[in-house]
Amino acid sequence: MNKVHVKKDDTVIVLSGESKGTKGKVLEVSPKEGKLLVKGVNIASKHVKPRKQGEQGGIMQLESAIYACKVALYCDKCGKGVRAKHSIVDGKKVRVCAKCGKEI
């Protein structure tokens, strides 16, 4: 199993690719593949056929998975993508920004 440095509901910024510089919320993480879904990033068009009578078909816009190495955690205080380090606060292990020390 691969380790992924981001979790569901984290805010990340895209480092490379067509969506470079885009901020988004992580919707889903797949650690086995090392990929994740980010809201509003890597949009793909899917042609949908109507399955039931009266149902609309058409073209849907969906997020596609991107590799976790292409994103960085976003720190609100620093205003950019940062690395995270772990520290213990009140007996709990938490992730903090490596630059400013704010909890992520």
Side-chain angles (χ1 to χ4, degrees):
M1 186 165 98
N2 297 335
K3 278 205 159 199
V4 180
H5 66 285
V6 290
K7 296 178 182 178
K8 188 177 176 182
D9 296 330
D10 281 348
T11 303
V12 295
I13 189 163
V14 181
L15 301 174
S16 66
E18 197 175 299
S19 303
K20 182 178 179 177
T22 308
K23 283 192 301 185
K25 188 176 174 183
V26 177
L27 302 173
E28 196 176 310
V29 178
S30 179
K32 221 173 203 177
E33 296 172 335
K35 293 184 176 185
L36 42 99
L37 285 177
V38 182
K39 187 171 178 72
V41 174
N42 200 22
I43 303 293
S45 298
K46 181 180 179 181
H47 294 261
V48 180
K49 199 172 185 180
R51 295 290 173 199
K52 296 175 186 165
Q53 193 171 357
E55 191 177 283
Q56 271 298 83
I59 302 170
M60 289 179 61
Q61 301 288 323
L62 299 170
E63 287 94 1
S64 296
I66 63 169
Y67 284 105
C69 63
K70 294 187 179 279
V71 300
L73 285 168
Y74 183 78
C75 178
D76 294 324
K77 190 174 177 185
C78 297
K80 57 184 176 180
V82 293
R83 291 183 178 186
K85 64 180 184 179
H86 298 277
S87 68
I88 297 168
V89 177
D90 300 328
K92 272 190 160 181
K93 188 177 175 184
V94 293
R95 295 178 300 162
V96 295
C97 174
K99 292 189 182 244
C100 67
K102 183 180 179 257
E103 192 175 322
I104 297 176

